[in-house]
């Protein structure tokens, strides 16, 4: 939420191109510790990485949508937004290959 609120002032100050590049380069290394999720200090390091990653996504999203809306024809805006939403949210399922069985959650595992 904070990233989305700061996106417009940052875009006005840095410019839309720089506001897309600078936070991504600055916060990209913070996503790595998320893989270290465990108990103790590693959990806090991963939580900080997740916080900064979500901040970057918030800052990144507003200028991207504004750019897409400015370069698209009015008749295509709804279709373009729906297509991108489908592609981006549909890609969340890709890391699991279709031939891998679903893991059943049970109390014994």
């Amino acid at each position: 939420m904070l990233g989305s609120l700061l996106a417009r002032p940052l875009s006005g100050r840095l410019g839309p191109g720089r506001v897309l590049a600078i936070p991504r380069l600055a916060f990209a290394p913070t996503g790595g510790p998320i893989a270290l999720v465990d108990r103790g200090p590693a959990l806090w390091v991963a939580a900080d990485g997740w916080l900064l990653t979500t901040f970057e996504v918030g800052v990144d999203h507003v200028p991207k949508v504004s750019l897409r809306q400015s370069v698209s024809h009015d008749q295509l805006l709804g279709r373009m937004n729906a297509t991108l939403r489908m592609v981006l949210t549909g890609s969340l399922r890709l890391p699991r290959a279709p031939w891998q069985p679903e893991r059943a959650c049970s109390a014994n595992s």
Side-chain angles (χ1 to χ4, degrees), residues 45-69:
V45 172
D48 289 342
W50 182 248
L51 179 72
L52 292 173
T53 300
T54 57
F55 174 79
E56 188 273 327
V57 168
V59 169
D60 194 48
H61 183 70
V62 174
K64 275 186 185 174
V65 171
S66 298
L67 177 65
R68 278 188 291 216
Q69 290 177 346

Side-chain angles (χ1 to χ4, degrees), residues 14-28 56 59-60 63:
L14 300 174
R18 287 190 183 131
V19 84
L20 288 173
I22 291 172
R24 184 170 296 164
L25 293 173
F27 296 131
E56 188 273 327
V59 169
D60 194 48

Side-chain angles (χ1 to χ4, degrees), residues 7 9-12 15 17 24 28-30 32-33 41 48 52 54 56-57 62 74 77 84 88 95 108:
L10 285 173
S11 185
R24 184 170 296 164
T30 65
D48 289 342
L52 292 173
T54 57
E56 188 273 327
V57 168
V62 174
D74 291 338
L77 275 176
L84 284 170
L88 296 175
N108 296 334

